[in-house]
Amino acid sequence: MRTRPITKRAAGILAVLPLVAAASAPAPTAPLTTLTLHPAHAPPGTEVELRLTGCPAAVAQAASPAFVVPATLAPAPDSPDLHGEARLRTGASPGPHGVTVTCEGHRAARPVTVTVTAPGTGPAPSPTAPVSAGGGGASGPRGDGVTGTGPGLRQAVVGLLLAATAGLAVCLRTRPRRPRPDQDGTP
């Protein structure tokens, strides 16, 4: 009988069919993503903020030869975009450096660069000096020429009067009450 060869052929076709279907299925495509860097031009040692839009994954990675370590991008509480930070290596050579973004195992389609500027150029890390702060007369002259001199005589007198009134109110409130002569306390 010829049933055995037909069965073998049918089994062979059924075994190959999933492979053919997998080969003809469209390959998964990388999601269309956009990476922005702030600042895009910075001296070595600066921290760069990264923002990735269009990545459906919960976490993505951004790597560059200019980064100390690859940056992990995660969702921010107030935005659907992925955010992260990366520090530029202190020994990074000046010039553009490519940034590779991996989202759901795929590389982002658009090339992005971070430009390392020469040390001493570009935005300075902030704050650059201590802040002029202090209470009342402790601060120095302000930029508008007004100096912090503290309260004047009028404010000091008003403050003392308010403190005396508050003290008198506390004394009267805590003083024990004596019954009046017309009230003996009996019904």
Side-chain angles (χ1 to χ4, degrees):
M1 289 240 156
R2 295 185 61 138
T3 58
R4 222 177 243 179
I6 294 174
T7 312
K8 284 183 180 179
R9 286 183 189 150
I13 292 172
L14 289 175
V16 174
L17 190 58
L19 298 175
V20 172
S24 65
T29 59
L32 183 61
T33 59
T34 303
L35 178 70
T36 54
L37 294 107
H38 181 73
H41 303 275
T46 303
E47 196 166 89
V48 179
E49 295 178 22
L50 302 117
R51 180 179 177 185
L52 182 65
T53 58
C55 179
V59 176
Q61 289 283 334
S64 173
F67 295 165
V68 174
V69 295
T72 300
L73 308 175
D78 59 345
S79 169
D81 301 337
L82 301 178
H83 297 267
E85 296 173 342
R87 184 166 301 279
L88 298 178
R89 288 185 307 111
T90 55
S93 60
H97 297 271
V99 179
T100 304
V101 178
T102 306
C103 171
E104 290 189 332
H106 300 284
R107 284 187 156 176
R110 288 184 53 206
V112 178
T113 59
V114 60
T115 303
V116 178
T117 59
T121 61
S126 70
T128 56
V131 214
S132 177
S139 65
R142 298 186 325 200
D144 56 3
V146 177
T147 59
T149 57
L153 179 62
R154 180 178 296 172
Q155 289 87 3
V157 170
V158 169
L160 286 173
L161 285 174
L162 289 173
T165 304
L168 181 62
V170 168
C171 287
L172 291 175
R173 188 95 170 125
T174 57
R175 190 177 81 178
R177 296 203 179 252
R178 294 186 197 166
R180 291 194 302 209
D182 59 336
Q183 294 177 343
D184 60 356
T186 59

